[in-house]
Amino acid sequence: MEIVDLVPEVLKNNVMITTIDGLFKWARSNSLWPLTSGLSCCAIEMMCAAAARFDLARFGYEVFRPSPRQADLFIVAGTLTWKMAPPLKRLYEQMPEPKYVIAMGSCANAGGPFADAYSVVPGIDKIIPVDVFIPGCPPRPEALIYGMLQLKEKIRHPEIVQRTAK
Amino acid sequence: MKRKYLAKDKLYALKKDFPSEMDFDDTLEKPTLIILKQQVFVEIMHTLKIRYKFDMLSNITAVDYDDHFEVVYDLANRTNNEELMVKIALAKTDPNIPTLTKLWPEADFQEREQYDLMGINFLGHPNLQRILLPDDFIGHPLQKSYKQVEKGGISEK
């Protein structure tokens, strides 16, 4: 006997059955709350993405929070210096689980044009774990939106990005 | 109103007071003072502030030459809109110079910046700490001899 057969006939067309995990993934992936944080020029594109022309709200991601305790997505938008690295890491640690990180732009990905500089962290993955890398200098708002949709896919189907053991 | 450089002839009186301790940098078009002796550095700067009414120290920077450091001060007189550049050479082995924070409080952050990036020691500075780089940074990166230190276990290079 399948579990579906237990559902009374009158509810069959009104009730969807899924797993708790599936429900949570669905809910989380549709309502990411990014942290209001920008390090340099990429942050301008991030603001554009949330504003009228690109309208991030179409995807449900418009609730930028001023406190890390209310956010679950950290968009690292810009150049990270070694001086700024400890505060950035602290912000990440203050975010409640589950939390996700997007490295936006060349600087956050790998240090960008400053990769060899004494003052710049060559990629934020040296400091905190990263879910999605968005290339570009800076990436256009469309690229950020695409990156967030990739993150949505990752949250819904974590198995597709799991690293295969060597 | 646009600022102009202090005319050289106005500085001859100062040159009379410090004949062997200061000189003019004739390689530059604008009149630039070079202080030759460190002992009178604060005295000359004090004179410039009091007698020539340079009420603002608008910039402090430093240059790393082959055989010496050079600290460059830009003074401004906001009443007459005049400027003056003052230079002093420091030995590479002993880059110490008295602080000017007592004459111009705005020297505080600028001296910290030069200490941070160029390693110039400003004697008597109230809070001579790094300002732009992290406190645990090793070395002074604007020195020509600076070699980047690998970040322990963090940098992959």
Side-chain angles (χ1 to χ4, degrees):
Chain A
M1 192 183 194
E2 294 287 321
I3 195 166
V4 184
D5 301 330
L6 292 174
V7 180
E9 194 61 36
V10 33
L11 292 179
K12 278 255 166 85
N13 293 327
N14 299 318
V15 176
M16 284 186 283
I17 295 173
T18 180
T19 58
I20 291 281
D21 265 4
L23 178 68
F24 274 28
K25 283 176 195 164
W26 171 80
R28 279 170 189 153
S29 65
N30 274 328
S31 172
L32 295 167
W33 287 23
L35 179 66
T36 311
S37 118
L39 294 173
S40 55
C41 28
C42 281
I44 306 295
E45 302 295 306
M46 184 177 73
M47 290 173 225
C48 285
R53 178 175 289 211
F54 297 98
D55 195 9
L56 198 54
R58 289 178 292 160
F59 305 94
Y61 303 149
E62 79 280 14
V63 194
F64 279 81
R65 304 310 293 178
S67 162
R69 296 172 206 286
Q70 299 170 350
D72 59 358
L73 171 62
F74 197 170
I75 303 175
V76 182
T79 315
L80 179 64
T81 58
W82 286 110
K83 179 107 172 174
M84 189 60 194
L88 182 107
K89 188 163 190 201
R90 173 173 290 189
L91 281 173
Y92 175 75
E93 284 165 353
Q94 283 175 337
M95 288 164 61
E97 298 276 359
K99 52 192 168 187
Y100 312 98
V101 175
I102 288 180
M104 182 181 180
S106 304
C107 293
N109 288 350
F114 316 108
D116 292 327
Y118 56 84
S119 53
V120 173
V121 180
I124 61 156
D125 52 343
K126 307 277 186 296
I127 307 292
I128 55 177
V130 177
D131 291 288
V132 175
F133 292 91
I134 304 174
C137 188
R140 283 189 57 86
E142 294 98 317
L144 177 62
I145 292 171
Y146 182 70
M148 293 182 86
L149 293 178
Q150 292 297 104
L151 179 61
K152 175 182 180 173
E153 285 305 301
K154 185 177 175 178
I155 295 169
R156 286 196 181 174
H157 307 287
E159 67 281 356
I160 60 171
V161 292
Q162 258 154 20
R163 206 173 280 176
T164 45
K166 279 179 185 168
Chain B
M1 192 177 158
K2 199 172 180 294
R3 275 197 213 145
K4 55 191 181 302
Y5 289 95
L6 184 70
K8 199 174 173 180
D9 47 0
K10 287 188 185 163
L11 288 165
Y12 286 139
L14 186 68
K15 172 82 177 156
K16 220 173 267 179
D17 291 348
F18 301 96
S20 66
E21 290 92 349
M22 58 161 276
D23 209 345
F24 298 105
D25 185 352
D26 293 325
T27 56
L28 295 176
E29 208 173 297
K30 56 193 177 189
T32 301
L33 277 191
I34 301 179
I35 296 173
L36 302 170
K37 290 196 178 145
Q38 266 196 52
Q39 295 89 325
V40 293
F41 168 68
V42 176
E43 203 182 330
I44 291 183
M45 295 309 259
H46 186 77
T47 315
L48 286 171
K49 185 185 176 183
I50 304 300
R51 200 193 296 168
Y52 290 87
K53 305 274 184 293
F54 283 109
D55 54 353
M56 189 166 90
L57 179 56
S58 60
N59 186 33
I60 300 177
T61 185
V63 191
D64 184 2
Y65 287 109
D66 282 343
D67 52 348
H68 67 279
F69 289 117
E70 187 178 75
V71 186
V72 183
Y73 297 86
D74 284 311
L75 302 175
N77 176 338
R78 287 177 295 175
T79 332
N80 303 333
N81 287 305
E82 284 167 338
E83 279 183 44
L84 179 68
M85 184 185 276
V86 182
K87 295 175 170 186
I88 183 164
L90 304 178
K92 285 240 164 165
T93 51
D94 179 36
N96 296 317
I97 188 161
T99 177
L100 292 182
T101 45
K102 290 180 192 74
L103 289 175
W104 292 279
E106 60 268 35
D108 185 344
F109 280 13
Q110 305 193 52
E111 289 184 347
R112 279 177 67 186
E113 183 186 342
Q114 291 317 313
Y115 163 73
D116 191 357
L117 301 176
M118 196 61 107
I120 311 288
N121 244 330
F122 292 90
L123 303 172
H125 190 285
N127 180 29
L128 195 61
Q129 291 179 14
R130 291 191 181 277
I131 185 167
L132 295 172
L133 297 169
D135 290 337
D136 58 353
F137 195 89
I138 299 165
H140 303 283
L142 290 195
Q143 291 180 353
K144 292 257 192 321
S145 59
Y146 174 76
K147 293 276 185 299
Q148 202 163 336
V149 180
E150 300 295 323
K151 294 280 186 308
I154 303 176
S155 173
E156 279 183 344
K157 278 186 295 177

